[in-house]
Short mmCIF file of all heavy atoms in Angstrom, two decimals:
data_model
loop_
_atom_site.label_atom_id
_atom_site.label_comp_id
_atom_site.label_asym_id
_atom_site.label_seq_id
_atom_site.Cartn_x
_atom_site.Cartn_y
_atom_site.Cartn_z
N ARG Z 9 216.73 178.31 92.48
CA ARG Z 9 216.04 177.57 93.53
C ARG Z 9 214.60 177.29 93.13
O ARG Z 9 214.03 176.29 93.56
CB ARG Z 9 216.07 178.37 94.84
CG ARG Z 9 217.46 178.54 95.43
CD ARG Z 9 218.05 177.18 95.90
NE ARG Z 9 217.15 176.48 96.78
CZ ARG Z 9 217.08 176.70 98.09
NH1 ARG Z 9 217.85 177.60 98.66
NH2 ARG Z 9 216.24 175.99 98.84
N GLN Z 37 212.58 164.40 92.98
CA GLN Z 37 211.77 164.14 94.17
C GLN Z 37 210.36 164.65 93.92
O GLN Z 37 210.11 165.85 93.90
CB GLN Z 37 212.36 164.82 95.41
CG GLN Z 37 211.62 164.45 96.69
CD GLN Z 37 212.24 165.08 97.93
OE1 GLN Z 37 212.88 166.13 97.87
NE2 GLN Z 37 212.07 164.43 99.07
N PRO Z 42 209.38 157.94 96.46
CA PRO Z 42 210.80 157.93 96.85
C PRO Z 42 211.63 158.73 95.87
O PRO Z 42 211.23 158.92 94.70
CB PRO Z 42 211.17 156.44 96.78
CG PRO Z 42 209.89 155.70 96.76
CD PRO Z 42 208.88 156.59 96.14
N GLU Z 56 225.47 156.23 84.60
CA GLU Z 56 224.14 155.68 84.80
C GLU Z 56 223.10 156.63 84.24
O GLU Z 56 223.20 157.84 84.41
CB GLU Z 56 223.86 155.45 86.29
CG GLU Z 56 222.52 154.82 86.57
CD GLU Z 56 222.57 153.78 87.65
OE1 GLU Z 56 223.68 153.40 88.08
OE2 GLU Z 56 221.50 153.36 88.09
N ALA Z 98 232.63 154.20 92.63
CA ALA Z 98 233.47 153.09 92.16
C ALA Z 98 232.72 151.78 92.29
O ALA Z 98 232.06 151.52 93.28
CB ALA Z 98 234.75 153.04 92.97
N SER Z 102 231.23 149.91 99.02
CA SER Z 102 230.12 149.57 99.91
C SER Z 102 229.51 150.80 100.56
O SER Z 102 228.44 150.75 101.11
CB SER Z 102 230.60 148.62 101.01
OG SER Z 102 231.60 149.25 101.79
N TYR Z 103 230.16 151.90 100.49
CA TYR Z 103 229.63 153.09 101.14
C TYR Z 103 230.17 154.31 100.44
O TYR Z 103 231.34 154.42 100.16
CB TYR Z 103 230.02 153.11 102.61
CG TYR Z 103 229.83 154.46 103.26
CD1 TYR Z 103 228.57 155.04 103.30
CD2 TYR Z 103 230.90 155.17 103.76
CE1 TYR Z 103 228.38 156.28 103.86
CE2 TYR Z 103 230.71 156.42 104.33
CZ TYR Z 103 229.46 156.96 104.38
OH TYR Z 103 229.29 158.18 104.94
N GLU Z 105 229.12 158.27 100.89
CA GLU Z 105 228.23 159.30 101.40
C GLU Z 105 228.00 160.36 100.35
O GLU Z 105 228.95 160.86 99.73
CB GLU Z 105 228.80 159.95 102.65
CG GLU Z 105 227.91 161.06 103.22
CD GLU Z 105 228.47 161.67 104.49
OE1 GLU Z 105 229.43 161.11 105.05
OE2 GLU Z 105 227.94 162.70 104.93
N GLN Z 106 226.77 160.69 100.15
CA GLN Z 106 226.40 161.72 99.18
C GLN Z 106 225.99 162.99 99.92
O GLN Z 106 225.30 162.94 100.92
CB GLN Z 106 225.26 161.23 98.28
CG GLN Z 106 225.70 160.08 97.38
CD GLN Z 106 224.62 159.63 96.44
OE1 GLN Z 106 223.67 160.36 96.15
NE2 GLN Z 106 224.74 158.42 95.93
N GLY Z 109 222.52 169.15 97.48
CA GLY Z 109 222.19 170.56 97.39
C GLY Z 109 220.77 170.81 97.85
O GLY Z 109 220.03 169.87 98.15
N SER L 32 224.90 148.65 103.68
CA SER L 32 225.18 149.91 104.35
C SER L 32 223.86 150.65 104.44
O SER L 32 223.11 150.71 103.46
CB SER L 32 226.20 150.73 103.56
OG SER L 32 227.45 150.09 103.51
N PHE L 34 221.54 154.11 106.00
CA PHE L 34 221.65 155.51 106.38
C PHE L 34 220.27 156.05 106.75
O PHE L 34 219.24 155.54 106.31
CB PHE L 34 222.16 156.35 105.20
CG PHE L 34 223.33 155.76 104.47
CD1 PHE L 34 223.15 154.84 103.46
CD2 PHE L 34 224.62 156.14 104.81
CE1 PHE L 34 224.23 154.30 102.79
CE2 PHE L 34 225.71 155.59 104.14
CZ PHE L 34 225.50 154.67 103.13
N TYR L 36 218.67 159.94 106.39
CA TYR L 36 218.82 161.33 105.97
C TYR L 36 217.62 162.12 106.47
O TYR L 36 216.51 161.59 106.57
CB TYR L 36 218.87 161.44 104.44
CG TYR L 36 220.21 161.15 103.80
CD1 TYR L 36 220.61 159.84 103.54
CD2 TYR L 36 221.07 162.18 103.44
CE1 TYR L 36 221.83 159.57 102.93
CE2 TYR L 36 222.29 161.93 102.84
CZ TYR L 36 222.66 160.64 102.58
OH TYR L 36 223.88 160.38 101.98
N GLN L 38 215.40 165.83 105.83
CA GLN L 38 215.15 166.94 104.90
C GLN L 38 214.20 167.93 105.56
O GLN L 38 213.03 167.63 105.75
CB GLN L 38 214.57 166.44 103.58
CG GLN L 38 214.42 167.53 102.55
CD GLN L 38 213.86 167.02 101.23
OE1 GLN L 38 213.12 166.04 101.20
NE2 GLN L 38 214.24 167.64 100.11
N ASN L 41 212.18 172.97 102.25
CA ASN L 41 212.93 173.79 101.30
C ASN L 41 214.44 173.64 101.43
O ASN L 41 215.19 174.55 101.06
CB ASN L 41 212.54 175.26 101.43
CG ASN L 41 211.06 175.48 101.20
OD1 ASN L 41 210.50 174.97 100.23
ND2 ASN L 41 210.43 176.20 102.09
N GLY L 43 217.94 170.73 101.17
CA GLY L 43 218.39 169.45 100.67
C GLY L 43 218.46 168.41 101.77
O GLY L 43 218.14 168.69 102.93
N LEU L 46 222.78 164.07 105.96
CA LEU L 46 223.02 162.77 106.58
C LEU L 46 222.92 162.88 108.09
O LEU L 46 223.59 163.69 108.72
CB LEU L 46 224.40 162.25 106.19
CG LEU L 46 224.76 160.88 106.72
CD1 LEU L 46 223.89 159.81 106.07
CD2 LEU L 46 226.23 160.57 106.46
N LYS L 49 224.94 156.75 109.85
CA LYS L 49 225.21 155.70 108.88
C LYS L 49 225.65 154.43 109.60
O LYS L 49 226.29 154.49 110.65
CB LYS L 49 226.30 156.16 107.92
CG LYS L 49 227.63 156.45 108.61
CD LYS L 49 228.58 157.22 107.71
CE LYS L 49 229.89 157.48 108.46
NZ LYS L 49 230.66 158.60 107.89
N PHE L 90 214.37 160.05 105.77
CA PHE L 90 214.49 159.01 104.76
C PHE L 90 215.46 157.93 105.22
O PHE L 90 216.60 158.23 105.61
CB PHE L 90 214.99 159.59 103.43
CG PHE L 90 214.04 160.55 102.79
CD1 PHE L 90 214.12 161.91 103.03
CD2 PHE L 90 213.04 160.08 101.95
CE1 PHE L 90 213.23 162.80 102.45
CE2 PHE L 90 212.14 160.96 101.35
CZ PHE L 90 212.24 162.33 101.61
N GLY L 99 228.06 150.12 92.82
CA GLY L 99 228.88 151.29 93.06
C GLY L 99 228.38 152.20 94.16
O GLY L 99 228.65 153.39 94.15
N LYS L 101 225.23 152.92 94.88
CA LYS L 101 223.98 153.60 94.53
C LYS L 101 223.03 153.57 95.72
O LYS L 101 222.88 152.55 96.38
CB LYS L 101 223.36 152.88 93.34
CG LYS L 101 222.00 153.39 92.91
CD LYS L 101 221.53 152.54 91.72
CE LYS L 101 220.11 152.81 91.36
NZ LYS L 101 219.68 151.98 90.20
#
Side-chain angles (χ1 to χ4, degrees):
Chain Z
R9 293 294 307 276
Q37 186 177 27
E56 183 140 350
S102 62
Y103 165 60
E105 179 178 349
Q106 294 183 21
Chain L
S32 295
F34 315 85
Y36 278 83
Q38 185 179 29
N41 301 312
L46 182 67
K49 61 194 180 201
F90 295 93
K101 175 181 171 180

